[in-house]
Amino acid sequence: EGIFSREFHVIIASSDLLELHTPIGTRLAGRSWEVPSRVKEVGAVLIVHGFGEHNCRYPHVARAFTEAGLRVVAFDLRGHGQSSGRRGHITHYREYLEDLDCIASHLRLNKGWLLFGHSLGAQILWHWLARNTYAVSGAILASPWFRLSKMPSRAKILLAHALAGIAPGMRQNAGGGNAHLSSDPSFLYA
């Protein structure tokens, strides 16, 4: 059963802010960037951000796409940015895929759309594309998060497994902060 058998509610708050409500009530906050009037619009791009990020970190990417004639839409993943949900937590991975189903249905993805995902967003798009039949123009998977760059200690893994049944939403400090995300300090605080 897919998300398409259920209804969802769309609210457009302003010309560039978007809000989408999934069938189970998750609020997905988004943003759109329009093609400048001096540029011919040739298509559109959906951006799916990485873990711990949000759509407001992508105006430089959106600017490059809009200057090339592509309208841009980006939604925060559940638990990220302005979307609802516990920060960085999902109960099951399929929640990301169902949220993307909802977004795709709302945007009516077709051959005029290009998909762009970074890190976790690229991983989600990869899994989503493997199970969907949308005829989009293509996908850019930037630094897809297919494995951890540094494995957690054995103790953290054992603790996570032990607590999964007792406190499934408990967070552990991953260490390292967000300095690895960019060498540009202004980007880290966007």
Side-chain angles (χ1 to χ4, degrees), residues 108-186:
R108 294 182 173 89
L109 292 186
N110 59 38
K111 289 183 182 177
W113 283 86
L114 176 67
L115 307 178
F116 175 90
H118 173 68
S119 188
L120 174 64
Q123 178 201 98
I124 292 167
L125 279 176
W126 185 77
H127 284 281
W128 185 82
L129 286 165
R131 68 187 268 272
N132 280 284
T133 58
Y134 282 96
V136 295
S137 291
I140 300 169
L141 305 179
S143 297
W145 184 16
F146 291 135
R147 65 182 173 99
L148 297 174
S149 60
K150 181 182 176 198
M151 288 301 293
S153 69
R154 182 157 170 74
K156 278 192 176 188
I157 293 171
L158 290 171
L159 179 61
H161 284 293
L163 292 173
I166 302 167
M170 184 177 165
R171 295 190 280 181
Q172 294 185 45
N173 185 345
N178 64 358
H180 65 283
L181 294 176
S182 176
S183 59
D184 180 355
S186 65

Side-chain angles (χ1 to χ4, degrees), residues 33-86:
W33 291 269
E34 299 300 322
V35 174
S37 58
R38 60 182 163 62
V39 177
K40 180 182 179 201
E41 186 169 328
V42 295
V45 177
L46 171 63
I47 294 176
V48 183
H49 65 77
F51 185 77
E53 294 189 311
H54 51 83
N55 70 59
C56 291
R57 286 197 153 180
Y58 287 84
H60 61 293
V61 176
R63 189 173 313 111
F65 281 130
T66 58
E67 289 294 328
L70 298 164
R71 182 170 53 94
V72 177
V73 176
F75 280 90
D76 291 335
L77 296 171
R78 68 171 63 209
H80 291 75
Q82 297 299 309
S83 289
S84 65
R86 187 165 173 210

